[in-house]
Amino acid sequence: MTDLNDTRQRDLALAPGTTAEQTARAAALLDELPGVSSMPGPEDGVLHIRYVLSAYTLAELEALLATHGIGLDQRVSQKLKRTVAHYADDVERDNLDLPEHNVKARDVYATLWTRHPHGDNDDTPDELRRYL
């Protein structure tokens, strides 16, 4: 069972000139993957994609489309949207892998630090200190 926080939804713009049939083929290709659902958007060349982040990232899905000869929109605005989505996927995926913070270990070090003798730990005798 997937957590709703683990599911991402994105619109992916395909290359200009992509037909409705090509868009439907791209959606069918992505629908074959477990944890991914895709459908053509209202206009040709747009895919609505929903995927489980622990299984896939948008970059991985784009790479799959590219291996099957399905191009993406290369306009700067679309590249920027995809770059931000890739970054967000990577950060969120990294955060999903973070272990639970161990508070006890931190408390042990804090206790040791308070018991540690602080101050001047120089072993130089007083007469030599005054001389120098």
Side-chain angles (χ1 to χ4, degrees):
M1 179 162 191
T2 60
D3 183 12
L4 289 179
N5 293 332
D6 194 23
T7 304
R8 299 292 171 262
Q9 184 172 340
R10 310 253 189 238
D11 286 339
L12 187 61
L14 302 179
T18 303
T19 64
E21 293 80 26
Q22 292 168 327
T23 305
R25 184 172 67 93
L29 177 69
L30 292 177
D31 272 339
E32 293 176 4
L33 300 172
V36 178
S37 65
S38 179
M39 59 186 244
E43 63 272 357
D44 291 343
V46 175
L47 284 175
H48 295 297
I49 303 172
R50 181 180 295 249
Y51 57 97
V52 177
L53 187 59
S54 59
Y56 302 100
T57 62
L58 183 61
E60 293 168 346
L61 297 175
E62 290 172 3
L64 176 72
L65 291 174
T67 60
H68 286 84
I70 300 166
L72 301 175
D73 192 338
Q74 295 301 318
R75 289 181 292 178
V76 174
S77 61
Q78 294 300 320
K79 282 184 174 182
L80 183 61
K81 283 181 185 179
R82 289 195 309 268
T83 301
V84 170
H86 296 171
Y87 175 75
D89 282 357
D90 290 342
V91 169
E92 291 176 37
R93 194 180 234 188
D94 287 344
N95 288 341
L96 288 173
D97 291 338
L98 285 178
E100 187 67 31
H101 183 65
N102 188 353
V103 177
K104 284 186 177 182
R106 186 191 72 207
D107 292 343
V108 168
Y109 288 116
T111 304
L112 286 174
W113 179 255
T114 58
R115 293 181 184 167
H116 179 72
H118 296 305
D120 189 5
N121 294 328
D122 189 5
D123 293 335
T124 307
D126 285 340
E127 19 337 304
L128 287 178
R129 278 193 205 177
R130 279 182 260 165
Y131 178 75
L132 298 173

